[in-house]
Amino acid sequence: MGGHPWWYLVSYEKDVAHSLESLRQREFRAGRYNPAENFPRFPVDLSHAPGCKHSSIDEAREDSDADGTRSILDVSRVGDEPDYDVVAPLPDEALMEHFATTKPTAEDVEDCDELFEDLERGKGIYVVVYDNGQPSQVFFAGYSYD
């Protein structure tokens, strides 16, 4: 079938791992993941919340089988390099290539479909997003496993 892209913009926190875990918990409680709903919608509509259908994120991941959750639940930690189950920072070279700056805006990242071209299934990236030169949001993006 093929992987499904997912992406989120959340408020910036200096600890990206905390931002990731807060986002994962939010999406899990809302039920915006497979198999609670087969194909979660992106961009995320916070008013759409079909509700959690599992007792834990691990149970949801197990129940999603080879498809993955098609959501941020497909990754559980922040790392320095792309890997399965990891979101890693987009390197400065890639930021310059895609945005001509190391401080992209929300509009920059939302309009950059090319970010998904180099992503592998089950892996994710994050980009700190800036507003007036200050960190304001974190953009998480990735692909489901299948």
Side-chain angles (χ1 to χ4, degrees), residues 62-80:
E62 186 174 315
D63 198 23
S64 70
D65 200 32
D67 293 337
T69 67
R70 301 179 179 134
S71 75
I72 194 69
L73 303 186
D74 282 340
V75 295
S76 66
R77 59 192 174 88
V78 173
D80 294 329

Side-chain angles (χ1 to χ4, degrees), residues 4-80:
H4 296 274
W6 47 260
W7 66 93
Y8 305 85
L9 263 173
V10 297
S11 295
Y12 173 79
E13 293 184 49
K14 192 172 186 174
D15 182 352
V16 174
H18 188 265
S19 295
L20 173 64
E21 188 55 30
S22 295
L23 174 59
R24 291 177 81 237
Q25 292 298 326
R26 181 191 84 185
E27 294 305 293
F28 175 68
R29 285 190 304 274
R32 290 185 289 259
Y33 63 87
N34 175 53
E37 64 176 344
N38 286 337
F39 293 96
R41 305 175 204 170
F42 295 96
V44 170
D45 174 0
L46 295 177
S47 67
H48 171 74
C52 178
K53 307 286 191 252
H54 297 84
S55 62
S56 70
I57 291 174
D58 287 340
E59 181 183 297
R61 288 176 60 154
E62 186 174 315
D63 198 23
S64 70
D65 200 32
D67 293 337
T69 67
R70 301 179 179 134
S71 75
I72 194 69
L73 303 186
D74 282 340
V75 295
S76 66
R77 59 192 174 88
V78 173
D80 294 329

